[in-house]
Amino acid sequence: MKLLLPDSIDLDLRLPDDVHAVRYAIARPVPDADVDAEVLVVWGNEAAQVRDAARRLTRVRWVQTLAAGPDVVLQAGFAPDVVVTGGRGLHDHTVAEHTLALTLAAARRVHLLARAQVGHRWAGEWGGLQPVHEADSFRTLRGARVVIWGFGGIAGTLAPLLAALGAHVTGVARSPGRREGFDVVAAADLPVLLPRTDVLIMILPATPETSRALDADLLALLPVHAWLVNVGRGSTVDADAVLTAIRAGRLGGAALDVFDTEPLAPDSALWDEPNIIISPHAAGGRPIGAAQRVTENLAAFRAGRPMRDVVR
Ligand code: OXD
């Protein structure tokens, strides 16, 4: 069996003797000599490269992506009988940490402090004495009402970190209930939840159902001081509506790690908005436990046992 491994990560794999692992360059089409591979591991490949692989790897039977979101592989055009497994769980800690960083940066206005520092200006308006209790503002996580839309493993790691700093966290997901000690409600409850939300954190995958899930109508339900943090996928948020709302003073700001088109175009109006924090799809990037995931899924695939995170 031939297994293609990406050159974007060092995977220390202990493989059975009859599995022949070949490293391929993710920035180039898979060489002709390797298009007979049965297994393809994907990490950081451009969508066009994966589409090319889907066309040319006619014997592939299983594709393992190490990304948190499998959208690039799902949209590449692999034959319907090709099994696709995702990287769910590999990014929980890194994405939770980055999301916490963005949320704290927003609360503490670190983006404005950095701008002031460039001009050697002591931004006294953000320092000094501050109210212990401040209604209708988002300046601290203490007492902040945080909603996490998309409550999987990343949210399960993030929510306790937010709660440790005093935030009240509610999740939103397809199946409501109690998870990791937090209340999770259905999206149908958002009209009730959003008007009393200080920070809305989006961790939704890109699917046809989540496209523009956060639209102008839902945004309008958030209080004017509220912040949006998006670390899921750009397609899930109407970025134009976000910009319009911030400019009109109807939304406090947004910290965005993901965009419809990445890299974000240099002429995008999002760059210059003072209360938009842009992070270059930096939340994940380090799949923790990737080698183990590939090894386990390979063993399961060969034995015909259930594999982890089968997304198709
Ligand atoms: C992602 C990732 O899917 O970085 O966004 O893994």
Side-chain angles (χ1 to χ4, degrees):
M1 167 182 276
K2 185 183 276 189
L3 166 75
L4 288 183
L5 297 174
D7 66 351
S8 46
I9 184 168
D10 282 325
L11 294 169
D12 184 18
L13 299 180
R14 259 161 242 137
L15 297 170
D17 289 345
D18 59 341
V19 174
H20 175 44
V22 176
R23 243 165 112 84
Y24 72 97
I26 62 159
R28 288 195 288 281
V30 171
D32 286 340
D34 294 322
V35 294
D36 56 349
E38 285 164 77
V39 181
L40 173 69
V41 179
V42 168
W43 175 235
N45 311 38
E46 295 289 339
Q49 196 275 353
V50 186
R51 281 198 300 273
D52 176 78
R55 220 172 27 250
R56 293 173 51 243
L57 270 61
T58 50
R59 296 182 57 190
V60 73
R61 292 193 289 135
W62 162 40
V63 181
Q64 167 75 60
T65 172
L66 302 178
D71 40 312
V72 166
V73 172
L74 291 178
Q75 291 159 14
F78 287 100
D81 58 339
V82 174
V83 176
V84 178
T85 51
R88 184 187 289 262
L90 305 180
H91 301 271
D92 292 355
H93 284 87
T94 49
V95 178
E97 180 179 327
H98 196 78
T99 311
L100 182 64
L102 292 176
T103 308
L104 284 171
R108 294 297 174 151
R109 307 297 193 264
V110 174
H111 55 296
L112 299 181
L113 305 182
R115 278 177 190 240
Q117 182 176 348
V118 170
H120 295 197
R121 189 179 72 79
W122 182 262
E125 69 277 26
W126 299 114
L129 308 184
Q130 295 163 43
V132 176
H133 301 291
E134 201 174 358
D136 301 328
S137 77
F138 174 51
R139 296 289 310 283
T140 169
L141 277 177
R142 190 171 156 271
R145 296 154 306 175
V146 180
V147 170
I148 307 180
W149 191 356
F151 208 92
I154 295 169
T157 306
L158 173 64
L161 302 175
L162 297 165
L165 291 172
H168 306 292
V169 181
T170 307
V172 178
R174 271 183 304 190
S175 355
R178 188 109 180 125
R179 301 221 205 122
E180 322 287 344
F182 296 90
D183 284 334
V184 176
V185 302
D189 293 323
L190 282 166
V192 178
L193 203 53
L194 292 182
R196 38 187 171 86
T197 294
D198 299 307
V199 191
L200 172 61
I201 297 176
M202 306 278 296
I203 319 184
L204 288 178
T207 66
E209 296 76 42
T210 62
S211 175
R212 299 288 179 267
L214 185 65
D215 59 10
D217 290 344
L218 281 184
L219 274 170
L221 298 178
L222 286 164
V224 295
H225 68 268
W227 269 70
L228 163 71
V229 177
N230 188 13
V231 294
R233 282 289 181 264
S235 61
T236 66
V237 169
D238 183 341
D240 290 340
V242 170
L243 184 60
T244 305
I246 293 173
R247 283 184 171 163
R250 286 188 273 106
L251 185 68
L256 307 173
D257 185 54
V258 285
F259 303 88
D260 272 333
T261 305
E262 296 179 3
L264 184 64
D267 62 353
S268 166
L270 297 173
W271 290 109
D272 297 316
E273 187 56 38
N275 275 319
I276 289 187
I277 300 174
I278 300 212
S279 128
H281 201 138
R286 294 180 205 95
I288 313 288
Q292 194 183 351
R293 175 66 58 89
V294 174
T295 311
E296 280 175 13
N297 265 352
L298 178 66
F301 177 68
R302 284 163 59 95
R305 290 195 314 263
M307 301 165 78
R308 285 195 60 186
D309 197 18
V310 176
V311 291
R312 196 192 76 175

